[in-house]
Amino acid sequence: MKTKRFFLPESQIPTQWYNLMADMKNKPLPMLNPATKEPIKAEDLYPIFAEEVSKQEVNMTDTWIDIPEEVREKYKIYRSTPLVRAYELEKALDTPAHIYFKNESVSPVGSHKLNTALAQAYYCKQEGLTNITTETGAGQWGTALAFAAKTFGLELAVYMVKVSYRQKPYRRSLMQTWGAEVIASPSMSTKAGRKIITDNPTYQGSLGTAISEAIELAMQTPNCKYTLGSVLNHVALHQSVIGLEAEKQMEMAGEYPDIIIGCFGGGSNFAGISFPFMRHKILDGKNTRFIAAEPASCPKLTRGVFQYDLGDEAGYTPLIPMFTLGHAFAPANIHAGGLRYHGAGSIVSQLLKDDLMEAMDIPQLESFEAGVLFARTEGIVPAPESSHAIASAIREAKKAKEEGVQKTILFNLSGHGLVDMTAYDSYFDGDLRNYELSAEEIAKTTSNLEQIIK
Amino acid sequence: MKTKRFFLPESQIPTQWYNLMADMKNKPLPMLNPATKEPIKAEDLYPIFAEEVSKQEVNMTDTWIDIPEEVREKYKIYRSTPLVRAYELEKALDTPAHIYFKNESVSPVGSHKLNTALAQAYYCKQEGLTNITTETGAGQWGTALAFAAKTFGLELAVYMVKVSYRQKPYRRSLMQTWGAEVIASPSMSTKAGRKIITDNPTYQGSLGTAISEAIELAMQTPNCKYTLGSVLNHVALHQSVIGLEAEKQMEMAGEYPDIIIGCFGGGSNFAGISFPFMRHKILDGKNTRFIAAEPASCPKLTRGVFQYDLGDEAGYTPLIPMFTLGHAFAPANIHAGGLRYHGAGSIVSQLLKDDLMEAMDIPQLESFEAGVLFARTEGIVPAPESSHAIASAIREAKKAKEEGVQKTILFNLSGHGLVDMTAYDSYFDGDLRNYELSAEEIAKTTSNLEQIIK
């Protein structure tokens, strides 16, 4: 009998996260203070983020960072996650490729977001904080932080983009079940929110606005800080637990991936599956291909520019060196809400610039077609975000067939779609479409950015 | 570091199901033909059920029955399911009890129902059938069969109780994603449905009606048979894979359960976790307590009568010897839809009569309180059905604390609640209540049954 799923014993759950920045030859450019244009230091971030993650954010020297024992204990609720050989998908594609996926959807919140939520909540608790805030768009990050906050005894307020608050009631309900307060954004509870509501009472919200509200509330609340679920370096650090496990599990399977794929929004799940393997590309000359699968409607990596840009619309964040479509870019309303972000984190942006990785854009309909095929073969209904990685893996598996070569493909299944079934309904009803972006549209939101790297 | 989750290697997934009937000293009474009152033989069931499961249904002699290799291959998608030590729940209860749960919610359909769905779909396919039918109430069984049918290449039609079809759109959507046709019941597609719609155009459906429609469609469609997800002996047989795994996993944990708990609707998940351990009570004199946790609003085991009764409202099924509230009993509209069934399977009914097990009724509000505590400690949002088992485990853990004794409690987490979040919303909104049944109400639907055992 062929083995389908590979698990690690609990004793082999990683004890350290891997910090790719320490091994990169070209380091990511530093974040800058928008006013002074000076590089950001850890202390500059303390007013907003927990001190420990602020230090991690700018740490370019320590390759390995200890996972606190208390966080590792919580990881045991769902880790190790299985590495799965997708035999049924291979059969359906009639491909010589071997397809593996790392199944992060088994976490109780349904996605990989819990890996960093637990770490961030733990550090906030350690620092003596009592409250934390965040924003959520599609809702995966907010649900993860809701459980993490509860398990470490923190009160959490989540600003949820208003349109998601209405369209994804199950996500809101999950956060409340874990004890979080959920506020539809824009709201009357912050200055930023009040201004927007006053100017435009029917505005349905955006991630940028929700970030502004969450930061503002954190700054004005005693013993309270803000947390973010993607883009930043410390988030990528925490997510490295995915790839570190996968490395050992691929060894159990007796293979090494030729191609590694993650879907791409801010970069957290892509970083998680990739960076530990990227280490071997940088240090040992491994010839692995890394593919970030982004939506064609939000193509920052394939069509954006590499520039310093803001992380949010309102301009509360530092300037980040990123491949970006501009912080004013308004992505089409695709169902993969977690991928609707204008920019990529600084590490990934540097890797892409240095040709250490590549990017692929996937039209919405192709992503759903891939998701449905995956559900009907491997049984798991994927999150619309994760379906982009599946679509990319399918493209590569078909290419392997055409070329008659046996490739080993590994992708990250970042989450399941059980609370996103309205998206599948729309797909089956024929209500979804692809979105084509013209060069002019992209120029509109990128041309006014200060271009620092040509 | 203490181990939290216990897994079996794939090589140790059971190769045989366990048939408790072969070991029972008092065998279950036979099912009877409603017209002739003659005991049902396997052949009598062939027009409705696959031949292989019909044989299993009446097999009281073979203790072990081989799991087909093809079914075992599919089990590997999610089996072994983890046995989990609920350290965080124990801490919250400050109990000396050791609480374990078998986590069947990790199946891609979210519940234990897939264990028998795969077996039944496989046997139908082997028999050369092309189509199958079933009904679903809460939707867990329908979703499981949808994936099972797809993976073995069968077309499936599911009659979904109309009120659930409206209230649980995600369940409908899941079934469609796996390729099943879903029809709200009562429908115009069957004689039984047409009659009810004509008499009462606004009728919201019931499980009994949906069963009648599904059986009728199967009987009138070439190459088509009917399948059922609970109550029957062959379903309990297939579910024994849960307890067989748990037995080995409890050994890994170095403990043997004093108390084993499953929530109770038709009995499939209770049978699954219990019967392999019941074997040791019957054969080896183990002193284990077995508790079926049923809703107080549908108390067939604690307040029903032991009589021959029909499995459905319309009377298409054989007479089954069961603890029952009467097939005309209309349970209150609690959110644990999977537990709203009037009768218990014949094996469990015999075990209860022989005092080999006990039953406990749980009010709705207590079940939700338990479910929320579980979500906030162990991270998993349980299905409202499973919360009855959790509530029962909590009662026993509190008792252990009062008595100052260390008990080892094992319960089955039959499913997660991610597609039942409206139920949690209602709970938090204060819209749920308990239902008290008077003796008169129970007498109304039980007194007219022909009482054959006093």
Side-chain angles (χ1 to χ4, degrees):
Chain A
M1 232 163 88
K2 301 170 296 185
T3 304
K4 179 152 183 76
R5 298 193 305 161
F6 300 88
F7 284 97
L8 300 173
E10 285 177 5
S11 58
Q12 282 193 44
I13 296 174
T15 55
Q16 298 181 307
W17 291 303
Y18 170 63
N19 179 17
L20 179 65
M21 289 194 286
D23 283 332
M24 287 169 76
K25 282 166 192 153
N26 296 332
K27 304 290 182 202
L29 296 173
M31 293 194 291
L32 301 180
N33 181 314
T36 66
K37 301 285 160 71
E38 287 296 310
I40 291 281
K41 295 186 297 292
E43 307 87 271
D44 300 330
L45 298 171
Y46 290 176
I48 300 181
F49 294 104
E51 296 190 7
E52 199 59 35
V53 303
S54 300
K55 287 178 198 155
Q56 292 170 353
E57 186 61 26
V58 298
N59 185 335
M60 302 210 184
T61 48
D62 299 321
T63 313
W64 299 99
I65 291 175
D66 287 344
I67 304 176
E69 194 55 35
E70 293 84 345
V71 173
R72 224 171 142 246
E73 276 297 323
K74 302 293 179 186
Y75 277 174
K76 291 187 342 193
I77 291 176
Y78 61 105
R79 308 209 71 87
S80 68
T81 63
L83 176 81
V84 188
R85 174 81 182 267
Y87 288 113
E88 299 294 324
L89 178 61
E90 291 173 16
K91 207 197 301 175
L93 298 170
D94 187 26
T95 176
H98 294 185
I99 307 177
Y100 292 85
F101 63 93
K102 180 74 168 159
N103 186 2
E104 290 292 307
S105 80
V106 300
S107 96
V109 304
S111 84
H112 71 294
K113 292 289 185 192
L114 195 51
N115 299 328
T116 183
L118 288 168
Q120 294 190 48
Y122 169 76
Y123 287 128
C124 287
K125 184 69 181 181
Q126 279 305 98
E127 202 173 308
L129 304 174
T130 52
N131 295 59
I132 55 177
T133 72
T134 200
E135 77 293 323
T136 200
Q140 290 194 332
W141 166 244
T143 48
L145 194 65
F147 171 60
K150 174 56 67 182
T151 202
F152 285 117
L154 292 162
E155 295 302 318
L156 167 66
V158 182
Y159 285 93
M160 186 174 190
V161 175
K162 197 169 272 177
V163 61
S164 296
Y165 186 92
R166 294 206 176 126
Q167 287 177 349
K168 295 175 180 257
Y170 282 25
R171 284 280 173 201
R172 170 190 49 68
S173 178
L174 278 167
M175 290 185 261
Q176 290 168 336
T177 300
W178 281 308
E181 181 187 351
V182 187
I183 310 118
S185 166
S187 77
M188 294 295 285
S189 65
T190 66
K191 211 170 68 178
R194 279 192 297 276
K195 182 176 180 324
I196 292 166
I197 288 185
T198 310
D199 293 350
N200 184 355
T202 61
Y203 184 57
Q204 290 299 296
S206 74
L207 211 47
T209 304
I211 292 177
S212 302
E213 291 207 276
I215 293 178
E216 189 185 320
L217 182 69
M219 308 266 287
Q220 292 180 350
T221 306
N223 282 315
C224 182
K225 287 193 176 177
Y226 167 75
T227 62
L228 186 66
S230 193
V231 183
L232 297 178
N233 302 336
H234 67 269
V235 177
L237 175 75
H238 304 154
Q239 293 294 356
S240 69
V241 69
I242 301 172
L244 292 169
E245 284 183 2
E247 219 185 314
K248 293 188 204 172
Q249 289 165 312
M250 288 299 305
E251 234 171 83
M252 292 167 75
E255 303 209 57
Y256 194 91
D258 299 303
I259 303 168
I260 295 176
I261 302 169
C263 64
F264 200 92
S268 81
N269 100 82
F270 173 79
I273 189 78
S274 297
F275 288 4
F277 290 96
M278 184 69 79
R279 166 181 167 82
H280 300 297
K281 181 161 185 160
I282 293 174
L283 300 184
D284 316 327
K286 280 273 188 195
N287 195 23
T288 316
R289 285 174 60 207
F290 297 87
I291 303 175
E294 65 181 5
S297 56
C298 192
K300 57 202 157 253
L301 297 176
T302 51
R303 300 178 66 191
V305 293
F306 186 32
Q307 293 180 2
Y308 270 104
D309 194 6
L310 292 164
D312 68 333
E313 270 174 79
Y316 285 12
T317 72
L319 285 167
I320 305 172
M322 40 165 65
F323 273 91
T324 179
L325 295 163
H327 59 268
F329 179 79
N333 193 18
I334 57 169
H335 275 281
L339 308 185
R340 295 175 70 244
Y341 187 73
H342 66 277
S346 65
I347 303 175
V348 162
S349 294
Q350 189 63 43
L351 294 173
L352 185 64
K353 178 163 182 296
D354 291 344
D355 285 331
L356 285 162
M357 57 171 281
E358 55 199 283
M360 188 182 275
D361 62 328
I362 306 285
Q364 175 159 260
L365 293 177
E366 183 180 344
S367 75
F368 274 91
E369 193 185 343
V372 170
L373 177 63
F374 187 75
R376 293 182 177 182
T377 51
E378 296 297 322
I380 304 163
V381 176
E385 290 83 1
S386 313
S387 291
H388 289 72
I390 299 169
S392 173
I394 289 174
R395 281 193 194 177
E396 293 297 325
K398 285 181 174 168
K399 209 165 80 180
K401 184 184 176 186
E402 278 160 26
E403 296 172 356
V405 291
Q406 190 273 301
K407 293 279 184 192
T408 299
I409 301 169
L410 167 64
F411 72 87
N412 195 33
L413 185 75
S414 57
H416 65 62
L418 296 180
V419 261
D420 294 296
M421 293 312 298
T422 46
Y424 283 87
D425 278 351
S426 301
Y427 173 66
F428 287 120
D429 290 347
D431 290 344
L432 299 190
R433 63 178 184 93
N434 293 329
Y435 295 88
E436 307 287 340
L437 274 177
S438 68
E440 289 70 33
E441 284 174 281
I442 292 175
K444 223 180 285 173
T445 47
T446 53
S447 58
N448 64 341
L449 297 173
E450 181 191 5
Q451 188 161 339
I452 58 123
I453 296 136
K454 317 240 168 192
Chain B
M1 230 162 88
K2 302 171 294 184
T3 304
K4 179 153 182 75
R5 298 192 305 160
F6 300 87
F7 284 97
L8 300 174
E10 284 178 7
S11 59
Q12 282 192 45
I13 296 173
T15 55
Q16 298 183 308
W17 291 303
Y18 170 63
N19 180 17
L20 178 65
M21 289 195 285
D23 284 332
M24 288 168 75
K25 281 164 193 154
N26 296 333
K27 304 291 182 200
L29 297 173
M31 293 194 292
L32 301 180
N33 180 314
T36 65
K37 303 280 160 73
E38 287 296 310
I40 291 282
K41 295 187 298 294
E43 307 86 270
D44 300 331
L45 299 171
Y46 291 176
I48 299 180
F49 293 104
E51 296 190 5
E52 200 60 36
V53 303
S54 300
K55 287 177 198 157
Q56 291 169 355
E57 186 61 27
V58 298
N59 185 336
M60 302 211 183
T61 49
D62 298 321
T63 313
W64 298 98
I65 291 176
D66 287 345
I67 304 176
E69 193 55 33
E70 292 84 345
V71 173
R72 221 168 145 250
E73 275 298 322
K74 302 292 179 187
Y75 278 173
K76 291 187 342 193
I77 291 175
Y78 62 105
R79 308 210 71 87
S80 67
T81 63
L83 176 82
V84 189
R85 174 82 183 267
Y87 288 113
E88 299 294 324
L89 178 61
E90 290 172 17
K91 207 195 305 173
L93 297 171
D94 187 25
T95 176
H98 294 185
I99 306 177
Y100 292 85
F101 62 93
K102 180 74 168 159
N103 187 0
E104 291 291 306
S105 81
V106 299
S107 97
V109 303
S111 84
H112 71 295
K113 292 287 186 193
L114 195 51
N115 299 328
T116 183
L118 288 168
Q120 293 190 50
Y122 169 77
Y123 287 127
C124 287
K125 184 68 180 182
Q126 278 305 100
E127 202 174 308
L129 305 174
T130 53
N131 295 59
I132 54 178
T133 72
T134 201
E135 77 293 323
T136 201
Q140 290 195 333
W141 166 242
T143 49
L145 194 66
F147 172 59
K150 174 55 68 183
T151 202
F152 285 118
L154 293 162
E155 295 302 318
L156 167 66
V158 182
Y159 285 93
M160 186 172 191
V161 175
K162 197 170 273 177
V163 61
S164 296
Y165 186 91
R166 294 208 177 123
Q167 287 178 349
K168 295 175 180 256
Y170 282 26
R171 284 280 175 202
R172 169 189 52 68
S173 179
L174 278 167
M175 290 185 260
Q176 290 169 336
T177 300
W178 281 309
E181 182 187 349
V182 186
I183 310 118
S185 168
S187 77
M188 295 293 286
S189 65
T190 65
K191 213 168 67 180
R194 278 192 299 274
K195 183 176 178 325
I196 291 166
I197 287 185
T198 311
D199 293 351
N200 184 355
T202 61
Y203 184 58
Q204 291 299 296
S206 74
L207 211 47
T209 304
I211 293 177
S212 303
E213 291 207 276
I215 293 178
E216 188 184 320
L217 183 69
M219 308 266 286
Q220 292 179 350
T221 305
N223 283 315
C224 182
K225 287 191 175 176
Y226 167 76
T227 61
L228 186 66
S230 192
V231 182
L232 297 178
N233 302 337
H234 67 269
V235 177
L237 175 74
H238 304 154
Q239 293 295 357
S240 68
V241 69
I242 302 171
L244 291 169
E245 284 183 3
E247 216 185 316
K248 293 188 203 171
Q249 289 166 312
M250 287 300 304
E251 232 171 85
M252 293 167 74
E255 304 208 57
Y256 194 91
D258 299 302
I259 303 169
I260 295 176
I261 301 169
C263 65
F264 200 92
S268 80
N269 99 82
F270 173 79
I273 190 77
S274 296
F275 288 3
F277 290 96
M278 183 69 78
R279 166 181 167 82
H280 301 297
K281 180 160 186 161
I282 293 175
L283 300 185
D284 315 327
K286 281 272 189 196
N287 195 22
T288 317
R289 285 174 59 207
F290 297 86
I291 303 175
E294 65 181 6
S297 56
C298 191
K300 56 201 156 253
L301 298 176
T302 50
R303 300 179 64 192
V305 293
F306 184 34
Q307 293 180 2
Y308 270 104
D309 194 5
L310 292 164
D312 68 333
E313 268 175 80
Y316 285 11
T317 72
L319 286 167
I320 305 172
M322 40 164 64
F323 273 91
T324 180
L325 296 162
H327 60 268
F329 179 78
N333 193 19
I334 57 168
H335 275 282
L339 308 185
R340 295 174 70 246
Y341 187 72
H342 65 278
S346 65
I347 303 175
V348 162
S349 295
Q350 189 63 44
L351 294 173
L352 185 64
K353 180 165 180 295
D354 291 344
D355 284 330
L356 285 162
M357 57 172 281
E358 55 199 283
M360 188 181 275
D361 62 328
I362 307 284
Q364 175 160 258
L365 293 178
E366 182 181 345
S367 76
F368 273 91
E369 192 187 343
V372 170
L373 177 62
F374 187 75
R376 292 182 178 183
T377 50
E378 295 297 320
I380 304 164
V381 176
E385 290 82 1
S386 313
S387 291
H388 289 72
I390 298 169
S392 173
I394 289 173
R395 282 193 193 176
E396 293 297 325
K398 285 181 175 168
K399 208 166 81 180
K401 184 184 176 185
E402 279 160 25
E403 296 171 358
V405 290
Q406 190 275 301
K407 293 279 182 192
T408 300
I409 301 170
L410 166 64
F411 71 86
N412 195 32
L413 185 74
S414 57
H416 65 61
L418 295 180
V419 263
D420 294 295
M421 293 313 298
T422 46
Y424 283 87
D425 278 350
S426 301
Y427 173 65
F428 288 119
D429 290 348
D431 290 344
L432 298 191
R433 64 178 183 93
N434 293 330
Y435 295 88
E436 308 287 339
L437 274 176
S438 67
E440 289 70 32
E441 284 174 282
I442 292 175
K444 221 180 284 174
T445 47
T446 53
S447 58
N448 64 341
L449 296 173
E450 180 193 6
Q451 189 162 336
I452 57 127
I453 294 136
K454 317 241 167 192

